[in-house]
Amino acid sequence: MTPLIWPLLICVIGALAAGAYGWPALNRRVSTTSAGWLLALFPLGALVVLVWLTGQLNGAPLTASVPWLPTLGLSVSLYFDSFSALFALLVAGIGMLVIVYGGYYLKGDPHAWRFQLYMLLFMTAMLGVVMAGDVISLFVFWELTSVTSFLIIAHKTRDEAARRGAFRALFITGGGGIAMLAGLLFMSTVSGSTQFMTILNSGAVLTHYQFYPVILILIAFGAFTKSAQFPAHIWLPGAMSAPTPASAYLHSATMVNAGIYLMARLHPALGGTEWWFWLLGVFGLLTMLVGAYVGVKQNDLKALLAYSTIAQLGVLMLLIAQDLPEAFKAMVIGVLAHTLYKSALFMVAGIVDHETGTRDLRRLGGLRQAMPAVFVVAALAGLSMAGLPPMLGFLAKETLLGAAVLPTASSVFDLILTVSAVAAGSFLLLQAGIFVIDTFLGKPRDPSVHAHKPPTGMWLAPALPAVLSLLIGFAPEPEALEAFLSSAASAAYGGKVKVSLDLFHGFNLPLALGLVAIGLGITLVVFRARVRARLTQRHDFSFNTVYDITLRGLDRAGYFVTRLQGGHLRHYLAIMLIGVGLLIAVFGALPGGAVIDWTLRGGGVLAVLRVFALLLVLGSSAVTIVLRRDFWAILAMSASGLSVAILMALEPAPDVALVQIVVDILATVILVLVLTRMPREQRKRAVVYTYRQSRPQLVRDVLIAIGAAVVVGLIVLTSLTTRPHASSVTPYYEQSAKPLTDAADIVGAIVVDFRGFDTLIEITVFAMAGIGVYLLLRFASRTAGDKEPIEPRDQRRWGYHTRGIVDPRTSPFIHLAVYLVFPLALVLAAVQILFGASQPGDGFTAGVIVSLAVALLYIVFGYEETKRRLPWLRPMLLLESGILLVIANGVLAALITGSFLAPVDFGELLHLPLPSGVHLSTATFFEVGICLAVLGSAALIIDTLGRPKDADQESTEELHAIEVLEQQGVVTSDEAGPGDLEAAHS
C-alpha cells in the first residue's frame, strides 16, 4: 500500500472513532473535552505522515495510481508535490487544533460526536482534493467537501438559518462543481489523459485549442463558487450559522482554499493567456473590494471575519491571475499567513461567544479584564491580519503590493490594481482594529453581558497559530521554510520562484505603498465609529436578492412542470408509454425478425414447450386485465412469471430460471400481504375507476395498451433476432471461470467473482427495500398516530389463544407439512450455497427459499408463534450481518491477494477434506452473506406486511423515546429526530 494513502486512511479511521463515540455507553464515560483531545490524535498522525512525505520529495512529486477502468485508460491516482504539501499540512495542522477546540466549544452537546465525525470526513475530503492525481478523483473529493460542509453547517438541525445557509452553500458550490466537471473532462479529452502529470505538461496544446475559453470558464466557474468569488460569495457569510470550530476550519484551511488550490494547480496548463489574466484578475479584484468594503459594515464578529476572508480570497485569485514569479511568491506567503491568523481569530470569536453568549459588537467591549490571555491571542492575530510588522501578515501584504506594482497589462489597469490593493489593505486593517479594539478594549457597552474565563485548552488552540505568525519572521534559520515555500510556489507557477521571509528589504515602492495603506488604515480605525455609521446608512444591492429570485424562478418552473403530476399512476404510465412510442417513431422503426424461426428452433418437444410457454405467458397476462378480484389477478400474474421461467429454462438458462421462480413466488406472497394492508373501500374505488369509465376513456386506454404492446413486442423481437450470436464476453467467461475461480458454474462465477462488486451493490439495494417497507409501514405510520386497536389473541384469525395453544380449526395436516417443508427448505438453501460453484443455484436463491419457508410459518402459526419458534429470526440483524460478512470477506480477500472480493480457496490453502463439488472459498462466504441479507430483507417485508397491527421492539422503543421527550417538553412527535431519540434513551 502506497504511503500516500496513509493520511486519508488515518482521517477516515478518526471519523469512525468519532462515530463510535456516539455509542451511549462510551459517550457517558468519556467527556466531550477528552474525546476532542483523543480524536485530535488522528489529524496529528496524518500531519506526521505528511511531514515525512514532504521530506521524501527531493524535487520530484510522489505519485500512486490504481487502475479503475483500464480499457478506458482511467485510474484513481494521488499526486503529491510541494504545492500539495503546503495545503495538506495546513489542512491537517489546523484540523488538529480545531478538533481539540471543538471538544471545549461543544462541551455538553449530546451531538458533539456527530459534529466531530463530519469534521474528520471534511478533513479527509480536503486532503483528497489537494492530493488528487487525476480529474476524476479530484471531482469526487471536491463534491465530498460540499456534502460534508452541508452537514457541518446544518449541525443545528432545528435552526432555520443553519438549514438555509447549508442549502445555499450546497446549491452554489454544487452547481459550480457540475460545471467544473464538464471543464475537467473537456480538458482531459484535449490533453489525452485524466492524469495531472500529463495535463500539467500539456499547456501548449490546451491554450491553443479552439475551445480553450470554454474549458477555462467552466473550470473557473467551479473554482469561483467554491472559493466565494464575487458574485458567488454570498454563500460564505450564510455559512456562519455553523458552529465556530467549523467556521474556523472552513475559512482558514479547507473548502474556501479549494478553488485557490485548483486554479494555482492548473496554472501551468491553462495560465499565461489573456483570457486567464482578465477572467481571474477582474473577478479577484471585485471580490477583494467587495469583501473589504462590506466587512466594515458588520456587527457580528463572525460576519466581519467572513467578509475579510472573502477579501483575502479575492487577493489570492488576483495573484494567481498574474503570470509572474513575484505573484506566486506572494500567493504562497498569503495562503500561509491567512490560514494562521484567520483560524486564530475565528476561534477567538468562538471563545467570546461561548463565554459571553453574544458576538454582537454593539454589546461587547472591555473583555480584556475577564480574559487577558484571549486578548493577547486576538492582538497577535489581529496585527497579522492588519499587515503590521513584525507579523507574517506584514510580509504577505508587502509581497502583494510588490506584485501589484509590476506591469502586467495596460497602464490603466495597473493603476487600478495598485490603488485597489492599497485600499483593501487599509480596510483590512480597519476590520482587524474593529475586531480587537471594540471587543477587548474600552468599557462594556451592555452591562447584562457577563464574561467568563475560558478553559486553558480552549485558548491554547488559537494561541499556537497566532504565535507562529509572530515567530516565523524571527526564526533563527528560516532557510528550510523558505526552500519549502519556494518549491511550492515553483510547482504552482511552472517555473523557478524564490521566496524570502525577510521582513525588511530596504525602502522601495512596495514599502512606501504599505506605509500609505497603514496610515490610511490607522486613520480609519481612529474614526471607525463615523466611518461605520456612514457606511451602514447606505443600502447596497445584494446578490442575495438574485439568489432568492433564482430559487423562486426554479420553484415556479417546477410548478409548471409538475402540472402533469397529479398523483394518478395511470396518467404517469400513459405518458411514459406514449413517450417511448413517439421516440421510436421519431428515430426510426425497429427492424422486424422471424419470430416463428426463433420459436420453433430446435424442433420436437422443445418447440412444443416453447409455444406452450409463450401462449401461457400471453393468456395469463391477458387474464390479469379482465379479472376484477385482486387476488385472482395476482395469481394470474404469478402464472405469467412462472411461464417466463419455463422459457428461461428452455434457453437453457437454469440459474436465471431458478431465480425467476423463487422471486416470482416471493413477489406473489408479498403482493397478497399488501392486499391485507389496503382498505377494502379503496380497492373498490380503484375497480370502479378502472372499469366504469366512459367509452372514449376506455378506447383511449385500449389504444395506449395496444400501442405499448406493439412497441414492447418489436423491442423483444428485435433483441431476439438481431443480437449477435458470436459474443466476445461469453468465451472469456467459459475459458476463465474454472482456471481463475475454480467454479464449474459460469453464472455463479460471474455473480460472485467477476462482478462481485455489482452483486454487493444489488444486495444492498435489496436490503434498503426491506428497510424502506419497515420505515413506511411500521415506524412512520405509528409515529404519525396511525394506530389500530389490537384484537384479543383468542379472536385472531391466526387461530391461537392467549397461551399459544393451537386452535382446533387449524388442520394438523398443514402443521405436518410445515414441519417437513421448513427443514427441507433449510437443507435446500445449504445445498444451493455449498454446491453453487458447480451446480445452478446461489445465495440469493437460498435466501428467497428460506424466506418463503418463513412466510409459510407466518401463515400457519401466526406472528407470535413464529417468533417463539424461530428466536434467531431477527430481520435487521440478519440483514446487517449479511452485508458486513460480504464486505469483511472482500477485505480478507484483498489482504491475501491484493484485490477486493478476489477468489481465494480456503479449503485448498488449509488442505481441508471436503466432499466432491464442495468448496470453502470467498465465493462460499459471499453466498452466505447474500443469503443472510436477502433473508433479512424479505423477512422484514413479510414481518411488516404480515402483522402490521402488532408492535415490534424497535418502533415501540422509538415511540417510547418520543413520549419521554414530549413529557419533558423538549420536542413534539412530528419533529423528533434520531439524535433526540438517542438522548431520550440515554
Side-chain angles (χ1 to χ4, degrees):
M1 181 184 296
T2 173
L4 290 178
I5 198 68
W6 292 352
L8 300 174
L9 287 179
I10 291 172
C11 292
V12 170
I13 295 172
L16 295 176
Y21 177 59
W23 185 34
L26 186 61
N27 201 300
R28 289 192 297 266
R29 289 175 173 80
V30 180
S31 67
T32 306
T33 304
S34 300
W37 282 99
L38 292 174
L39 293 175
L41 295 176
F42 293 98
L44 175 61
L47 179 64
V48 171
V49 174
L50 289 169
V51 171
W52 176 76
L53 289 173
T54 304
Q56 305 298 312
L57 289 174
N58 295 324
L62 302 176
T63 60
S65 182
V66 177
W68 177 38
L69 294 175
T71 55
L72 298 179
L74 298 179
S75 301
V76 177
S77 307
L78 295 175
Y79 183 91
F80 188 78
D81 61 359
S82 297
F83 190 61
S84 301
L86 171 63
F87 282 84
L89 290 170
L90 294 176
V91 168
I94 301 300
M96 175 188 64
L97 298 177
V98 168
I99 293 295
V100 173
Y101 175 83
Y104 289 95
Y105 187 86
L106 298 171
K107 185 177 182 180
D109 186 348
H111 307 309
W113 65 270
R114 192 174 66 211
F115 177 80
Q116 300 284 41
L117 166 64
Y118 295 155
M119 288 291 289
L120 286 162
L121 289 177
F122 188 35
M123 188 184 307
T124 305
M126 191 61 200
L127 285 176
V129 167
V130 301
M131 295 178 64
D134 64 284
V135 297
I136 304 299
S137 302
L138 173 70
F139 175 74
V140 171
F141 286 114
W142 185 278
E143 291 302 287
L144 187 57
T145 61
S146 296
V147 173
T148 49
S149 66
F150 169 83
L151 296 173
I152 291 172
I153 296 170
H155 174 69
K156 301 175 183 177
T157 54
R158 290 192 182 82
D159 186 355
E160 183 181 353
R163 296 196 301 268
R164 188 167 55 247
F167 175 77
R168 180 183 300 178
L170 183 63
F171 180 80
I172 294 176
T173 60
I178 296 173
M180 186 196 72
L181 175 63
L184 291 175
L185 295 179
F186 205 167
M187 180 179 64
S188 301
T189 302
V190 175
S191 63
S193 175
T194 60
Q195 303 296 310
F196 279 126
M197 287 285 289
T198 303
I199 292 173
L200 296 180
N201 293 319
S202 304
V205 176
L206 289 167
T207 54
H208 290 86
Y209 185 61
Q210 58 179 337
F211 292 112
Y212 161 75
V214 177
I215 298 174
L216 176 60
I217 290 173
L218 289 173
I219 295 177
F221 183 73
F224 287 173
T225 56
K226 185 74 75 171
S227 287
Q229 299 296 299
F230 177 87
H233 66 284
I234 58 174
W235 72 264
L236 193 57
M240 291 304 94
S241 53
T244 301
S247 301
Y249 198 37
L250 186 147
H251 283 257
S252 62
T254 50
M255 197 165 79
V256 295
N257 277 345
I260 301 299
Y261 170 82
L262 177 63
M263 299 313 295
R265 173 90 288 170
L266 294 178
H267 177 265
L270 301 176
T273 65
E274 290 290 320
W275 272 95
W276 175 276
F277 174 78
W278 288 108
L279 182 64
L280 273 65
V282 170
F283 280 96
L285 180 63
L286 291 174
T287 305
M288 176 182 70
L289 295 176
V290 168
Y293 167 75
V294 180
V296 176
K297 303 168 62 174
Q298 305 305 309
N299 291 311
D300 185 286
L301 288 179
K302 287 176 65 174
L304 185 150
L305 294 176
Y307 280 101
S308 71
T309 298
I310 292 172
Q312 185 62 33
L313 292 172
V315 169
L316 296 175
M317 194 65 72
L318 181 60
L319 291 171
I320 297 171
Q322 304 179 60
D323 190 27
L324 297 170
E326 291 79 5
F328 281 80
K329 166 190 173 182
M331 187 266 295
V332 294
I333 296 177
V335 167
L336 178 59
H338 175 259
T339 298
L340 294 178
Y341 73 69
K342 191 53 61 71
S343 60
L345 288 174
F346 261 106
M347 285 189 273
V348 167
I351 292 174
V352 171
D353 187 18
H354 191 270
E355 302 303 327
T356 65
T358 182
R359 300 192 307 262
D360 193 338
L361 282 166
R362 292 166 296 188
R363 301 181 60 197
L364 296 172
L367 296 183
R368 179 176 61 88
Q369 305 267 344
M371 42 184 79
V374 179
F375 166 67
V376 173
V377 174
L380 290 176
L383 287 173
S384 186
M385 176 179 168
L388 296 175
M391 308 301 295
L392 181 61
F394 171 76
L395 179 60
K397 185 188 66 177
E398 292 302 300
T399 54
L400 163 65
L401 293 172
V405 298
L406 294 174
T408 55
S410 64
S411 57
V412 176
F413 184 83
D414 290 342
L415 178 61
I416 294 174
L417 178 60
T418 303
V419 173
S420 299
V422 172
S426 62
F427 270 90
L428 285 176
L429 192 153
L430 172 59
Q431 292 177 4
I434 293 171
F435 183 94
V436 176
I437 297 174
D438 289 354
T439 302
F440 293 95
L441 300 180
K443 296 181 180 180
R445 297 176 181 83
D446 188 347
S448 64
V449 175
H450 301 286
H452 307 281
K453 185 177 181 181
T456 303
M458 194 173 189
W459 63 263
L460 281 178
L464 185 58
V467 172
L468 281 177
S469 297
L470 174 64
L471 295 181
I472 286 177
F474 295 98
E477 295 182 1
E479 290 82 5
L481 181 57
E482 289 177 348
F484 172 66
L485 294 177
S486 298
S487 178
S490 300
Y493 175 63
K496 188 175 182 180
V497 179
K498 178 176 175 55
V499 175
S500 173
L501 295 179
D502 294 335
L503 292 178
F504 185 71
H505 295 85
F507 191 83
N508 50 27
L509 181 58
L511 179 60
L513 292 176
L515 294 176
V516 172
I518 292 173
L520 288 175
I522 293 175
T523 303
L524 292 173
V525 170
V526 173
F527 297 100
R528 63 185 180 281
R530 296 182 183 178
V531 173
R532 282 165 52 81
R534 181 65 61 86
L535 294 179
T536 306
Q537 291 175 358
R538 297 178 57 86
H539 297 285
D540 302 311
F541 174 77
S542 173
F543 273 88
N544 287 312
T545 306
V546 177
Y547 169 79
D548 294 334
I549 293 174
T550 302
L551 288 188
R552 286 197 296 269
L554 290 175
D555 290 339
R556 191 66 178 171
Y559 172 79
F560 287 111
V561 170
T562 55
R563 290 308 85 203
L564 296 174
Q565 300 183 12
H568 298 289
L569 295 180
R570 61 190 304 110
H571 293 169
Y572 301 162
L573 182 60
I575 292 171
M576 287 188 288
L577 294 176
I578 293 173
V580 171
L582 291 176
L583 287 175
I584 293 177
V586 170
F587 290 101
L590 291 169
V595 66
I596 303 298
D597 294 341
W598 175 82
T599 305
L600 299 179
R601 62 187 171 86
V605 178
L606 290 179
V608 174
L609 289 175
R610 194 174 286 113
V611 172
F612 172 76
L614 285 173
L615 292 176
L616 193 57
V617 171
L618 180 62
S620 55
S621 300
V623 167
T624 60
I625 301 174
V626 298
L627 288 174
R628 299 195 178 190
R629 294 291 299 271
D630 298 322
F631 180 73
W632 301 120
I634 290 173
L635 292 183
M637 188 181 67
S638 178
S640 176
L642 294 175
S643 304
V644 173
I646 296 175
L647 288 173
M648 293 176 177
L650 295 175
E651 273 304 301
D655 293 86
V656 183
L658 184 59
V659 172
Q660 172 68 17
I661 291 171
V662 295
V663 170
D664 185 83
I665 297 174
L666 179 61
T668 302
V669 172
I670 292 175
L671 288 175
V672 171
L673 291 175
V674 167
L675 289 181
T676 65
R677 287 300 308 257
M678 295 179 63
R680 183 177 298 274
E681 292 300 322
Q682 184 179 358
R683 290 159 56 189
K684 286 182 179 179
R685 286 197 302 270
V687 172
V688 170
Y689 183 80
T690 302
Y691 293 100
R692 296 186 183 178
Q693 303 181 82
S694 64
R695 184 176 297 275
Q697 291 174 330
L698 286 174
V699 172
R700 176 202 62 192
D701 291 348
V702 169
L703 291 177
I704 292 175
I706 293 176
V710 171
V711 169
V712 173
L714 286 174
I715 292 174
V716 173
L717 181 61
T718 302
S719 65
L720 290 174
T721 57
T722 63
R723 63 181 180 181
H725 294 284
S727 172
S728 59
V729 177
T730 301
Y732 170 77
Y733 287 139
E734 291 176 342
Q735 298 169 8
S736 305
K738 185 68 176 177
L740 297 181
T741 67
D742 200 23
D745 184 64
I746 299 176
V747 175
I750 294 174
V751 170
V752 299
D753 291 311
F754 293 106
R755 300 184 63 180
F757 198 75
D758 290 348
T759 304
L760 172 59
I761 296 175
E762 289 167 3
I763 64 170
T764 304
V765 172
F766 194 88
M768 294 303 296
I771 296 174
V773 171
Y774 168 76
L775 292 176
L776 290 174
L777 299 184
R778 273 291 185 92
F779 178 69
S781 63
R782 296 188 68 218
T783 53
D786 184 15
K787 302 178 182 179
E788 299 180 41
I790 301 176
E791 301 173 356
R793 296 183 182 177
D794 55 352
Q795 296 180 9
R796 293 181 183 174
R797 58 189 175 92
W798 303 99
Y800 275 82
H801 294 295
T802 304
R803 296 183 179 179
I805 303 174
V806 181
D807 190 283
R809 291 175 295 178
T810 307
S811 172
F813 290 102
I814 297 180
H815 299 163
L816 178 61
V818 173
Y819 296 147
L820 294 176
V821 169
F822 190 76
L824 182 62
L826 295 178
V827 172
L828 181 59
V831 171
Q832 292 277 311
I833 294 174
L834 292 176
F835 291 91
S838 56
Q839 299 293 334
D842 54 22
F844 184 87
T845 306
V848 176
I849 290 173
V850 179
S851 302
L852 292 173
V854 170
L856 182 61
L857 261 72
Y858 273 59
I859 294 172
V860 175
F861 294 118
Y863 176 85
E864 294 183 357
E865 183 65 13
T866 301
K867 290 293 187 182
R868 188 186 67 82
R869 290 173 178 265
L870 304 178
W872 52 267
L873 188 62
R874 301 177 61 185
M876 292 296 292
L877 181 60
L878 291 172
L879 187 152
E880 297 162 357
S881 301
I883 295 179
L884 289 176
L885 177 60
V886 174
I887 295 175
N889 182 54
V891 172
L892 179 61
L895 295 176
I896 296 176
T897 66
S899 180
F900 186 70
L901 290 175
V904 178
D905 193 334
F906 299 108
E908 182 179 346
L909 289 178
L910 302 176
H911 304 288
L912 299 177
L914 299 174
S916 177
V918 176
H919 297 80
L920 185 64
S921 63
T922 50
T924 307
F925 292 111
F926 199 156
E927 301 285 13
V928 173
I930 294 173
C931 177
L932 292 176
V934 171
L935 173 59
S937 182
L940 194 60
I941 296 173
I942 295 170
D943 190 358
T944 304
L945 295 173
R947 295 295 291 163
K949 297 180 182 179
D950 279 356
D952 61 284
Q953 182 180 357
E954 292 87 351
S955 57
T956 299
E957 291 178 352
E958 303 296 354
L959 287 172
H960 176 67
I962 293 175
E963 291 174 359
V964 171
L965 291 172
E966 288 177 336
Q967 293 171 1
Q968 296 176 352
V970 176
V971 68
T972 58
S973 59
D974 60 339
E975 62 179 7
D980 301 311
L981 302 180
E982 295 167 7
H985 282 310
S986 61

